[in-house]
Amino acid sequence: MSARWDAVVVGAGFAGTLVAHQLGAQGWRVLVLEAGRAAPTGAQASAAHRAAGGGPPTSPYPHSPDAPSPDVTDLTGLPDGGFTATGHLGQYGPLPYASGYLRANGGTGLLWTGLAPRMHPEDFRTGDLGHGRNWPIGYHDLEPHYRAAERELGVAADAGEQRAAVGLPIPADYDFPMRAIPASFLDRQLADAFDGRTVRDPAVPDPARLAVTATPHARNGVPTRAASVHGRPAGGRSAEGPLTDGPLTEGPLCAGSAGCVPACPTGAKYTPLRTQARWAAGVELRTEAVVSRVLADPETGRAEGVEYLAGGRAHRVVADLVVLAAHAIENARLLLLSGLANRSDQVGRNLMDHPALLTWGLMPRPVGPYRGPGSTSGLEAFRFGPGRERRAPFRIEIGNWGWSWAGGAPEAEAATLLAAGLRGKELRERLGDRLGRQFSLQFELEQPADPANRVTLDPDRRDPLGLPAPAVRYDLSDYVREGMASARAVSDQLFALLGAEDHTAYPAAAWPGRLEHRGAVHGYRGAGHAGGTHLMGDSPATSVVDHWQRCWDHPNLYAVGCGSMPSLGTSNPSLTMAALALRSAGRMHRDLLELNRPAAVTPPAASTSRTPEPSPSEHS
Amino acid sequence: MSVSDERPADYDLAESWDPVAAAEADALADELPDEVADELADLDEFLRVSAELTGFDVPELRATGMADEHHRTALAHRVRDEHALVHLWYVGAWPGEAPSSARAHDQGLVWRTFRATPPGAAAPGHGSWAEAPRDGATRSGAALGGAPLGGAALGGEAR
């Protein structure tokens, strides 16, 4: 392969797909190398999952043996506590990193839930709050890119409610592309019991006021009236590169198939494949192409291209820009394999997730679980404010899918009652009564950046291609554990307000993610929100990438995705990842213009001064 | 009439499907397994026994469209007990096996006990999840309202 590409993008998930789309739309020639295989349609994946009788969310997708990825079923709880792990990700404890991801075209974005809340302005300053790290940019720097991402993903939300209930500064003239997804019947029952009431978080002196609030979704709702004129950043801030000019609504309205994870069977949920369908002709995708190394000039630090393995051979690709978009853990692994970008010694460190504390029970009356999207509303009161100094903040998702995440899906309940000897009408009635009243609460906690939570290359394990496998050392700090204690105390009060039976229990064998804190046992699942492993900052001494997600040590090497995020806040991070990717794509476009300017010999370090940068004002 | 899993693997437990005949069959098991197996080879008898064990009557079972497929699955297993038979109807799979088809999974009676459909199997319409769940006795295929995906795959059996 002798052709020179303008950019090579490693990974065809959320971030890589968006970057490739933006660069392709500007006329650049982009090669996308995806380690995994091509993905089936949502309808095919959903049918395969049902035909298999369920299975973990990655299971209906093709797995390339040469590009393994970890799965939640790799973890097993031990009867007396603790866990064992098998598979791609070496786990060296003390607690398990409890999330999986998928290496396939579309990445983990194929099987995401599709919740797309913005981060709160406070979330960008967690270091100032005494925990974790600050971002080098703030909410207002990202705001126009949030709007661009919401257009690209097709986000359904109510701007007024997001302003009032979440406190987001959203411009007054902005409408989300689509109206909010309707609240579930369960949400409405909880709103009747909660709204206007207060509960006490033991970490906070003042009571918290409850308000059930609709969650923004990247699934199709009813388009807003003036949506077609609201895609672009207002106020002359459109110099970041092209924004999507495709139709605002692709695919059908969400029809309530309730199968968003692992796959939306109708195509109402956004996945990166939707954007790929609009890639310009100059974007080429190669699947089953496993990048093993980034090549860089040892003198100048400039990235020259990548080496990848495919069809049993090694290949080299030369490009002006190299963009790593392979997932937080795989990006870090690739930088470590390449020996690049690690002047700060932060590559692979600061691994974060949203540990999700689940509580579950039975409502007094049937609520119709297993209908609609997995969660349509939440409680926002514990995400912000002074409590954040003492315990990790959390967002409460109201779970529409019964006890499925907790391990009590209908099939499991049926098996339990069958094993207890129930038969006939008694079985039917008992099961129907229990299943019809199931609900759960999902407390997604912020986990601050901690350099000790770390991805490294496993000295003892290699993948099928002979590349060192990733290994993880992971723990949850007292700050997170205090957040769990507050979450459980809040949960107890919420169950009391509902008159619900609490069935929460964390038997060790079923909960590999399990800990004891001040005498109480807490179980957590991983929300699949890996971040922090190449975090951005304002100094090359303490961070891996700058606020453009560009490696400090390599001016034409970008590492994009949640790995760049210095904090995750309490928001599902894909929307923020998308906004960052779109923002960085604007920077990449300007980089390529500089490189291709005739007769301009541009020293790498000077490239930022050429083009006026609309944001952030403190960092140009 | 519960059947222990500890019985020898070649012991034909078909007779225990019929709770009415269970006591007699238990006593006569050694002499009658072939005759009982012959009876259960008959679809109507299979459905009658299934209805007794599942709590869903024969028309409800037929409305799932799974009668023939489940009958074949059951007959393909030499060792049968009532637990396995109820599991087959409720979950769409013989214990320890994958469902015989996506349709078998989708038609699992477990979902009908609370008038629901399995994730991904139906498309009841935008906002349908905001409505109160239907209550009262679950009848036949009523739980599969709206516009099922895959058309006939989720419709009732035409028989």
Side-chain angles (χ1 to χ4, degrees):
Chain A
M1 182 71 223
S2 57
R4 183 178 190 90
W5 296 84
D6 294 315
V8 58
V9 176
V10 181
F14 240 103
T17 293
L18 292 170
V19 165
H21 178 60
Q22 296 295 84
L23 294 181
Q26 297 276 20
W28 302 111
R29 294 180 62 249
V30 183
L31 176 65
V32 182
L33 297 173
E34 168 53 52
R37 291 180 170 168
T41 65
Q44 290 166 334
S46 173
H49 193 248
R50 288 180 281 121
T58 58
S59 61
Y61 295 99
H63 288 59
S64 166
D66 286 344
S69 42
D71 196 274
V72 290
T73 51
D74 291 346
L75 296 172
T76 305
L78 298 174
D80 298 322
F83 71 99
T84 57
T86 58
H88 181 57
L89 194 59
Q91 297 247 15
Y92 293 90
L95 291 174
Y97 173 78
S99 291
Y101 54 90
L102 178 68
R103 293 166 85 190
N105 184 34
T108 316
L110 296 168
L111 50 111
W112 74 312
T113 311
L115 303 184
R118 296 184 180 193
M119 285 174 62
H120 189 273
E122 235 179 45
D123 296 334
F124 297 83
R125 303 189 302 269
T126 44
D128 292 348
L129 298 167
H131 300 277
R133 300 268 297 244
N134 283 348
W135 288 55
I137 53 175
Y139 175 90
H140 289 286
D141 299 309
L142 212 48
E143 205 282 331
H145 309 286
Y146 268 136
R147 282 182 270 159
E150 285 156 357
R151 179 185 171 101
E152 178 64 32
L153 272 55
V155 173
D158 184 282
E161 187 179 23
Q162 289 294 302
R163 278 185 215 106
V166 187
L168 292 177
I170 295 175
D173 64 347
Y174 180 69
D175 281 333
F176 284 86
M178 302 169 202
R179 290 186 212 161
I181 296 293
S184 68
F185 181 77
L186 172 65
D187 294 337
R188 291 159 204 251
Q189 304 314 297
L190 268 56
D192 286 347
F194 292 163
D195 283 359
R197 303 279 188 99
T198 59
V199 295
R200 289 205 169 264
D201 173 348
V204 181
D206 295 326
R209 183 165 296 275
L210 302 174
V212 172
T213 303
T215 305
H217 290 250
R219 57 175 47 78
N220 290 336
V222 177
T224 45
R225 181 175 47 83
S228 60
V229 299
H230 281 293
R232 284 175 181 275
R237 285 191 151 209
S238 58
E240 295 298 314
L243 293 163
T244 307
D245 51 7
L248 271 167
T249 306
E250 293 177 60
L253 272 178
C254 171
S257 297
C260 326
V261 180
C264 173
T266 65
K269 179 186 79 173
Y270 175 85
T271 78
L273 302 185
R274 196 188 279 180
T275 295
Q276 288 183 17
R278 289 187 283 103
W279 272 351
V283 180
E284 179 179 326
L285 171 70
R286 290 182 197 159
T287 54
E288 299 183 71
V290 182
V291 174
S292 54
R293 197 152 62 107
V294 179
L295 309 167
D297 184 321
E299 299 296 318
T300 65
R302 292 192 70 83
E304 295 167 332
V306 300
E307 185 174 88
Y308 72 93
L309 307 172
R313 289 178 43 229
H315 309 257
R316 283 193 173 209
V317 169
V318 180
D320 286 343
L321 285 186
V322 176
V323 182
L324 305 185
H327 182 270
I329 289 175
E330 296 295 332
N331 267 3
R333 181 185 179 213
L334 200 43
L335 288 173
L336 293 170
L337 284 169
S338 309
L340 298 178
N342 203 12
R343 190 186 344 168
S344 63
D345 187 39
Q346 296 301 300
V347 172
R349 295 187 182 273
N350 307 299
L351 174 66
M352 297 176 274
D353 194 3
H354 283 133
L357 182 91
L358 308 186
T359 62
W360 60 96
L362 298 178
M363 289 286 282
R365 281 175 293 283
V367 291
Y370 301 94
R371 297 187 300 161
S375 178
T376 34
S377 301
L379 295 165
E380 313 286 338
F382 309 96
R383 296 175 63 188
F384 328 109
R388 224 166 166 168
E389 292 165 18
R390 299 199 183 89
R391 52 99 182 106
F394 49 89
R395 180 170 178 278
I396 306 177
E397 288 181 356
I398 298 167
N400 289 333
W401 294 348
W403 299 358
S404 53
W405 201 11
E411 291 89 344
E413 284 292 288
T416 301
L417 294 191
L418 260 172
L422 266 65
R423 301 287 185 270
K425 295 286 184 204
E426 189 189 6
L427 172 65
R428 177 179 181 170
E429 282 160 19
R430 271 281 291 285
L431 198 51
D433 172 61
R434 284 174 66 88
L435 294 175
R437 294 188 290 131
Q438 281 190 354
F439 79 109
S440 67
L441 300 176
Q442 302 158 187
F443 299 76
E444 303 215 355
L445 293 119
E446 181 181 50
Q447 176 182 23
D450 174 352
N453 289 331
R454 186 177 188 189
V455 179
T456 56
L457 300 178
D458 199 320
D460 302 323
R461 298 166 52 258
R462 287 175 182 269
D463 73 10
L465 292 175
L467 303 171
V472 161
R473 186 260 171 217
Y474 187 81
D475 202 359
L476 298 175
S477 66
D478 274 351
Y479 178 70
V480 178
R481 293 168 189 235
E482 282 297 304
M484 289 183 169
S486 284
R488 189 61 197 268
V490 167
S491 178
D492 290 346
Q493 296 166 71
L494 297 178
F495 274 71
L497 285 173
L498 294 170
E501 287 173 38
D502 195 337
H503 286 252
T504 307
Y506 308 110
W511 288 84
R514 183 176 181 274
L515 57 88
E516 285 188 47
H517 181 62
R518 291 198 282 115
V521 172
H522 303 292
Y524 67 92
R525 303 288 198 220
H529 299 169
T533 52
H534 46 83
L535 51 70
M536 63 167 71
D538 51 19
S539 162
T542 55
S543 57
V544 179
V545 299
D546 66 13
H547 65 89
W548 298 112
Q549 307 189 77
R550 185 171 47 185
C551 294
W552 287 109
D553 301 347
H554 311 281
N556 62 335
L557 174 60
Y558 286 77
V560 301
C562 294
S564 297
M565 294 167 64
S567 70
L568 298 181
T570 49
S571 296
N572 312 54
S574 295
L575 179 79
T576 302
M577 167 167 56
L580 284 171
L582 295 176
R583 180 173 182 272
S584 292
R587 178 70 256 172
M588 294 173 200
H589 170 58
R590 294 195 293 279
D591 288 355
L592 286 168
L593 285 177
E594 292 295 321
L595 287 166
N596 286 273
R597 179 169 295 178
V601 180
T602 309
S607 63
T608 55
S609 61
R610 294 290 174 127
T611 310
E613 293 173 10
S615 65
S617 53
E618 68 269 35
H619 289 284
S620 8
Chain B
M1 60 170 278
S2 70
V3 177
S4 164
D5 288 332
E6 290 153 26
R7 297 201 186 190
D10 60 353
Y11 185 88
D12 192 333
L13 298 167
E15 71 275 10
S16 66
W17 292 357
D18 184 347
V20 176
E24 186 185 0
D26 234 10
L28 300 175
D30 289 340
E31 293 110 284
L32 295 179
D34 289 346
E35 272 183 48
V36 173
D38 285 348
E39 264 179 44
L40 291 161
D42 176 71
L43 179 62
D44 288 335
E45 179 63 8
F46 169 77
L47 287 172
R48 191 187 66 76
V49 172
S50 294
E52 194 71 38
L53 287 173
T54 61
F56 286 76
D57 63 29
V58 171
E60 287 177 309
L61 295 180
R62 283 191 182 280
T64 65
M66 296 311 301
D68 287 327
E69 186 169 327
H70 285 343
H71 192 212
R72 283 195 300 275
T73 299
L75 292 178
H77 290 81
R78 197 154 61 91
V79 179
R80 306 162 208 145
D81 62 23
E82 60 182 50
H83 174 279
L85 191 61
V86 181
H87 192 277
L88 176 62
W89 278 104
Y90 267 69
V91 177
W94 199 259
E97 298 181 5
S100 49
S101 64
R103 190 172 93 143
H105 171 267
D106 294 346
Q107 294 295 337
L109 295 181
V110 63
W111 300 98
R112 293 178 184 237
T113 64
F114 66 116
R115 305 176 69 94
T117 52
H126 192 64
S128 54
W129 52 89
E131 295 161 12
R134 286 165 292 188
D135 55 16
T138 312
R139 293 297 302 180
S140 65
L144 289 170
L149 293 176
L154 280 171
E157 189 173 35
R159 45 180 306 154

